[in-house]
Amino acid sequence: MAVLVIADHDGAHLRDTTLKVLSAAKALSPDIDVLVYGAGSATVAVQAAKADGVRKVLTAESAGLNADIAEDVAALIAGLAASYDTIAIPATAAGKNFAPRIAALLDVSIISDVMEVVDANTFVRPIYAGNALETVQTSDTKKVLTVRPTSFAAVAADGGSASVEAASAAADFAGTRFVGEEKVTSDRPELGAAKVVVSGGRALGSAEEFHAVIEPLADKLGAAVGASRAAVDAGYAPNDYQVGQTGKVVAPALYIAVGISGAIQHLAGMKDSKVIVAINKDPEAPIFQIADYGLVEDYKTAVPALMAALG
Amino acid sequence: MKILVPVKRVIDYNVKVRVKADQTGVDLANVKMSMNPFDEIAVEEAVRLKEAGIATEIVAVSIGVAQCEAILRTALAMGADRGLLIQTDQDIEPLGIAKLLKAVIAEENPNIVLMGKQAIDGDNNATGQMLSTLLGWPQATFASKVVIEGDEAKVTREVDGGLQTLEVKLPAVITTDLRLNDPRYASLPNIMKAKKKPLDTKQVADYGIDVAPRLKVLKVAEPPKRSAGIKVADANALVAHLKTAGVL
Ligand SMILES: Cc1cc2nc3c(=O)[nH]c(=O)nc-3n(C[C@H](O)[C@H](O)[C@H](O)COP(=O)(O)OP(=O)(O)OC[C@H]3O[C@@H](n4cnc5c(N)ncnc54)[C@H](O)[C@@H]3O)c2cc1C
């Protein structure tokens, strides 16, 4: 039976994440619909309709959906669930917020962070900060999954010609009110989708130093900027930059870790990168155990030299 | 105001886990176990609300093996007033835990459930959301700031791209993110005092709730190992290698 994929978008563009979840959905069923909810859904639906393999696109907007209120998003999706046997949700902060609610509404278990689809009922997911991979088989008739986008290749963004239809959103949940948001704006690529990521750690010592050292290197490489928890906690970088078990999971072609020791929790978010570079003055730092190329040097000399070598 | 704090006993976050050779799970024998770090943050937040005169009672609940009592004692030493252990040797999935917690809440009637956003063993990030759904209460997940104003909580949440602030009507479920606070260490006198605080023990069977697993774990495997890398002499050598590898 059919799969409903929940789109990830920024109000104007369908994110690459969605195309990756679509490829996980393809391994489950040939019948794939996409739900685009929230402000801008009409614009984004047109893009989703072009994605390879999509049968139908549903759209929905309401005050609660536009503010990404989990109660409203989950109620909308659970209301559509009768027509689907699997609901596949990108494992983003937003997806993790509402997905378990859908599962609870349907009285099924949640299967979080799917990295591989073995068959329609069997999935591989990471546990213990990615230090073990469990293969689970569900006995639930309906399945609610969050999908780790970095574990799947994107389907083609073009070629499809799905129909677009409006779905009716339920009334907004009365117990929760949106007050406001503070978004970090940046011209750099998004962390989750970037081909190159340059991350800074505690070694940077201050927000000024983080700006002065990490950002120019990232800009030179057209890279997104990431950070360790230590750097975020110390206020050198915003929380949204955190890479790791409890931050973002990235798998770029190139990951450069500057002044990051390589704690288990950090590695959980970047060890599937294709090529890992570590710049650290401590030759014993655990990051060197997983780095393809390690440079044992003070970042204060190594990064300027790297900038020069890049030309 | 009463606060309920669910706490989980997990492998200590510093331990490098080992997958069992027969691929049935992770080796937990003789491994250091601790309170899940996010739950420590939840206990700390509850204690701060009590110190601020907002909360009057804090009840810590743990579901699991008999040794979870030690985790509850830690919560009591940090400032929780009472503990409840719901004992079982079974591994219960987030949905089953949420159902058990709902039954506890029906008895305890807390105004707030404060809990961790995820446990560092299963990494599910689901129990709080499921619990609030089953209760019909609002949820505020991944909290980095909590302000209680009358019968509402104003919660700043860590979301993709930055921060979001929500106001939720109490009773509500709030899950903690790392930056909410720095949990205190329990002092020796408080550890001694915690030994005398009330701690009830019940069995999962006492609740008559179906918590049978829906997921069967077919195997637990080690993730693919990365092949060992090399140390390079300087930035020029690094750039040359990256060009050869095709990533520049
Ligand atoms: C529940 C939990 C969840 C967590 N989640 C995450 C997460 O998602 N992401 C995450 O990153 N962490 C996470 N952590 C924290 C993690 O355990 C580490 O504390 C953190 O990653 C360390 O950050 P760091 O490597 O920047 O700092 P440190 O460990 O302090 O490392 C700094 C490194 O910089 C090097 N250095 C110092 N000066 C220089 C210099 N001049 N030049 C070059 N190198 C230098 C040092 O040799 C050292 O290796 C979590 C922890 C817990 C308990």
Side-chain angles (χ1 to χ4, degrees):
Chain A
M1 215 171 68
V3 182
L4 181 65
V5 168
I6 314 305
D8 179 25
H9 67 93
D10 65 3
H13 307 97
L14 189 71
R15 287 201 178 92
D16 205 37
T17 349
T18 315
L19 302 175
K20 291 175 175 168
V21 178
L22 278 169
S23 108
K26 268 190 148 175
L28 288 165
S29 166
D31 299 324
I32 302 170
D33 293 352
V34 175
L35 170 70
V36 185
Y37 73 83
S41 65
T43 313
V44 177
V46 175
Q47 300 160 25
K50 289 192 191 128
D52 179 39
V54 178
R55 181 175 72 173
K56 183 167 77 181
V57 179
L58 298 167
T59 60
E61 291 187 29
S62 75
L65 294 173
N66 298 1
D68 226 339
I69 304 294
E71 289 86 344
D72 298 325
V73 181
L76 167 71
I77 297 167
L80 299 169
S83 314
Y84 302 95
D85 151 273
T86 305
I87 297 167
I89 299 157
T92 57
K96 290 174 185 174
N97 191 33
F98 63 74
R101 295 190 67 90
I102 303 168
L105 289 168
L106 301 174
D107 193 36
V108 300
S109 65
I110 175 94
I111 306 174
S112 306
D113 240 347
V114 168
M115 294 177 75
E116 188 189 326
V117 176
V118 179
D119 63 43
N121 297 308
T122 314
F123 305 92
V124 178
R125 60 177 301 270
I127 51 175
Y128 294 93
N131 287 303
L133 301 179
E134 67 172 5
T135 305
V136 292
Q137 186 177 52
T138 178
S139 57
D140 286 320
T141 45
K142 275 207 198 290
K143 285 152 281 186
V144 179
L145 325 172
T146 62
V147 175
R148 177 176 282 201
T150 54
S151 299
F152 295 88
V155 302
D158 296 305
S161 57
S163 58
V164 178
E165 248 174 57
S168 49
D172 290 335
F173 180 75
T176 303
R177 199 174 68 81
F178 173 78
V179 177
E181 61 186 0
E182 264 173 71
K183 292 276 165 122
V184 180
T185 50
S186 157
D187 296 333
R188 297 192 185 88
E190 278 188 83
L191 192 50
K195 300 257 180 310
V196 182
V197 173
V198 178
S199 285
R202 195 195 311 263
L204 276 302
S206 70
E208 294 70 38
E209 185 76 352
F210 196 94
H211 286 302
V213 174
I214 300 298
E215 292 178 4
L217 179 58
D219 291 340
K220 183 150 235 153
L221 293 163
V225 177
S228 70
R229 174 186 172 186
V232 174
D233 280 357
Y236 309 163
N239 69 279
D240 183 47
Y241 285 19
Q242 183 175 311
V243 171
Q245 179 186 19
T246 56
K248 289 214 165 59
V249 175
V250 300
L254 174 60
Y255 187 90
I256 304 183
V258 180
I260 291 177
S261 60
I264 296 167
Q265 294 82 12
H266 187 77
L267 303 186
M270 44 65 81
K271 68 177 176 189
D272 291 332
S273 304
K274 189 160 161 263
V275 172
I276 298 173
V277 169
I279 299 174
N280 194 309
K281 68 178 182 187
D282 173 10
E284 304 301 324
I287 191 83
F288 288 120
Q289 289 165 21
I290 64 145
D292 299 281
Y293 305 106
L295 186 51
V296 182
E297 199 178 328
D298 194 314
Y299 78 82
K300 288 183 182 131
T301 51
V303 173
L306 180 57
M307 293 282 283
L310 288 166
Chain B
M1 173 171 305
K2 184 165 167 179
I3 303 184
L4 188 94
V5 188
V7 292
K8 186 174 186 187
R9 174 180 182 265
V10 298
I11 196 165
D12 188 82
Y13 78 95
N14 272 314
V15 174
K16 175 113 180 61
V17 304
R18 280 190 310 117
V19 171
K20 287 190 203 162
D22 65 2
Q23 298 200 319
T24 54
V26 158
D27 199 352
L28 295 180
N30 306 315
V31 165
K32 185 179 177 206
M33 304 294 282
S34 304
M35 191 191 299
N36 179 41
F38 289 96
D39 307 350
E40 284 184 341
I41 294 170
V43 174
E44 174 67 33
E45 194 67 14
V47 173
R48 288 187 190 186
L49 287 170
K50 192 172 175 197
E51 287 167 347
I54 293 167
T56 48
E57 190 185 18
I58 303 168
V59 182
V61 186
S62 193
I63 301 168
V65 293
Q67 293 91 319
C68 291
E69 189 176 326
I71 302 303
L72 285 169
R73 292 284 171 207
T74 304
L76 297 175
M78 288 174 73
D81 298 293
R82 266 192 307 123
L84 171 62
L85 168 61
I86 305 178
Q87 212 182 312
T88 178
D89 288 337
Q90 211 189 327
D91 245 340
I92 303 180
E93 290 165 7
L95 182 63
I97 298 288
K99 288 179 178 178
L100 285 167
L101 290 173
K102 182 185 173 190
V104 171
I105 286 157
E107 288 171 355
E108 295 281 349
N109 288 307
N111 305 75
I112 302 177
V113 178
L114 253 170
M115 57 199 290
K117 80 165 180 183
Q118 80 191 68
I120 60 165
D121 50 1
D123 279 334
N124 279 296
N125 192 334
T127 308
Q129 294 91 314
M130 289 183 145
L131 176 62
S132 89
T133 310
L134 297 178
L135 292 165
W137 292 5
Q139 73 175 39
T141 56
F142 324 153
S144 62
K145 190 173 173 205
V146 176
V147 180
I148 308 295
E149 290 165 346
D151 65 348
E152 287 186 334
K154 196 185 225 176
V155 180
T156 303
R157 310 178 49 238
E158 301 203 359
V159 297
D160 292 325
L163 300 169
Q164 180 198 54
T165 302
L166 298 178
E167 223 158 51
V168 292
K169 287 212 173 67
L170 302 182
V173 176
I174 300 173
T175 77
T176 60
D177 217 318
L178 291 172
R179 270 163 289 278
L180 182 57
N181 61 47
D182 279 320
R184 70 193 66 192
Y185 289 102
S187 65
L188 196 56
N190 285 343
I191 293 172
M192 300 312 288
K193 266 191 245 160
K195 292 192 173 144
K196 300 208 178 68
K197 289 186 180 177
L199 197 161
D200 277 352
T201 301
K202 292 193 176 175
Q203 302 297 319
V204 163
D206 296 340
Y207 291 88
I209 290 170
D210 176 13
V211 293
R214 310 289 184 83
L215 302 178
K216 187 169 151 198
V217 178
L218 301 182
K219 73 169 183 188
V220 174
E222 260 190 65
K225 282 221 168 31
R226 292 188 71 95
S227 50
I230 54 165
K231 297 233 170 94
V232 298
D234 57 26
N236 287 316
L238 177 59
V239 169
H241 278 294
L242 294 178
K243 284 192 172 142
T244 312
V247 289
L248 279 188

